[in-house]
Amino acid sequence: MALKQRTLQEQLQRFAGIEPEEWAAPLVGPEFGYRRRARIAVRWDARARRLDVGFRASASQEIVAFDECLVLVPPLQTIARALPALLQDFRKPESIGHVELFHGTASALLLRHTTALVDEDRQRLAAFCSAHQAQLWLQGAEQPLPVEPAAELGYSLGDWQLTLAYRPGDFVQVNAPMNESMIRQALDWLAPTADERVLDLFCGLGNFSLPLARRVARVVGVEGVAAMVERAGANALANGLGNAHFFQADLSKALAEAPWAEQGFTAVLLDPPRDGAFEAVREMSSLGARRVVYVSCNPATLARDAGEMARQGYRLKRAGILDMFPQTAHVEAMALFEAG
């Protein structure tokens, strides 16, 4: 934890030459049993006539076998322990591409196959999922589809009485307890009032947008992936939120002239990917933002973007780390900027 805190501090100083007016206490959660999503690598060794099943080694194509994975949530630990034996007993194991495990409102197993599964293997897989009370999803050349068409997969945000539907392949935070803590802290720092218009950039499925919509007059969520925009809109409707509106946009380009930005925003929340949000933060002052909460999975790009925010007259009021991935050196952070 000390290393993660120091990493954030050093990056802010190196790239932006700034330090927050206040360091927030690290946001922490369970050290084990937290991960609700995992990809299991599978490779058929034709020469050895052996199916390798495990996790990919860092910066390598090597597949490392495992007996158990203690960072997975308990329902997925049970599935993961039994999975290698199941797959290695397939009549046609060379047809398997990889396997992904999910847990939210239900557990789910997605098998990516490179050629059609033989009936015997498909039946064995279906029986395995039934025994583990997990949905079975299959993916060939098309998008993932549930074997049972009525199957629904999602996750809940209990503090806000929300359930967000998602499909395998959609981005979701893998640490559910930390995700709720992160949302709670972000809303606390942003401190929106009931009459405000708030902008949520890189909104995904509405992870921040929908909790915000419980508190403010209007939320505009913007995302680059069309399918995510569609699902975010459906999530708003399913939760009875008519004040959350979602739009697709290339967030590496100018935003201020977009129709959804014409009225401006007093508060902005953004949660970009690892390469940051430099083009978006360049327009913060033109959007009228008085307060900005930036959630980051890369301290280096957060620091770069913080320097741009400072050039626009924003003060870095508060910053702190989010221990989203215990047992790893990965650093996530949150920062609050206020107009000077």
Side-chain angles (χ1 to χ4, degrees), residues 1-7 25-28 31 321-323 326 328:
M1 294 296 292
L3 172 63
K4 294 181 182 188
Q5 181 75 36
R6 191 161 61 248
T7 297
L27 199 62
V28 299
E31 294 187 8
I321 62 170
L322 317 173
D323 197 25
T328 79

Side-chain angles (χ1 to χ4, degrees), residues 205-222:
L205 296 167
N207 190 55
F208 289 105
S209 305
L210 301 191
L212 277 166
R214 292 286 198 214
R215 295 181 53 172
V216 303
R218 182 180 175 90
V219 175
V220 172
V222 184

Side-chain angles (χ1 to χ4, degrees), residues 78-96:
T78 302
I79 295 173
R81 278 195 296 267
L83 186 65
L86 167 77
L87 300 180
Q88 288 162 350
D89 200 34
F90 266 31
R91 192 164 69 81
K92 191 179 176 183
E94 61 270 28
S95 64
I96 308 169

Side-chain angles (χ1 to χ4, degrees), residues 156-171:
S156 298
L157 297 175
D159 280 5
W160 301 274
Q161 294 81 53
L162 295 167
T163 299
L164 280 67
Y166 70 92
R167 297 172 66 84
D170 291 347
F171 173 79

Side-chain angles (χ1 to χ4, degrees), residues 36 154-158 160-167 170-173 179-180 182-184 186-187 198-216 219-241 243-247 251 269-271:
R36 60 180 170 184
Y155 67 94
S156 298
L157 297 175
W160 301 274
Q161 294 81 53
L162 295 167
T163 299
L164 280 67
Y166 70 92
R167 297 172 66 84
D170 291 347
F171 173 79
V172 294
Q173 294 287 356
N179 183 51
E180 291 211 26
M182 176 181 69
I183 296 169
R184 199 177 302 117
L187 269 60
V198 179
L199 176 64
D200 179 14
L201 296 175
F202 308 91
C203 68
L205 296 167
N207 190 55
F208 289 105
S209 305
L210 301 191
L212 277 166
R214 292 286 198 214
R215 295 181 53 172
V216 303
V219 175
V220 172
V222 184
E223 167 63 47
V225 180
M228 298 286 271
V229 173
E230 180 180 339
R231 283 199 268 285
N235 281 330
L237 291 175
N239 286 280
L241 295 169
N243 61 334
H245 306 274
F246 297 92
F247 301 91
L251 292 170
L269 190 150
L270 63 158
D271 182 12

Side-chain angles (χ1 to χ4, degrees), residues 105-132:
T105 53
S107 294
L109 182 155
L110 167 69
L111 186 138
R112 171 80 170 89
H113 53 89
T114 54
T115 60
L117 297 176
V118 298
D119 288 342
E120 181 182 340
D121 291 343
R122 187 180 176 119
Q123 291 169 11
R124 187 174 291 148
L125 186 60
F128 176 87
C129 288
S130 178
H132 288 277

Side-chain angles (χ1 to χ4, degrees), residues 258-277:
W260 45 261
E262 289 176 354
Q263 297 179 50
F265 304 91
T266 49
V268 176
L269 190 150
L270 63 158
D271 182 12
R274 289 189 60 79
D275 54 1

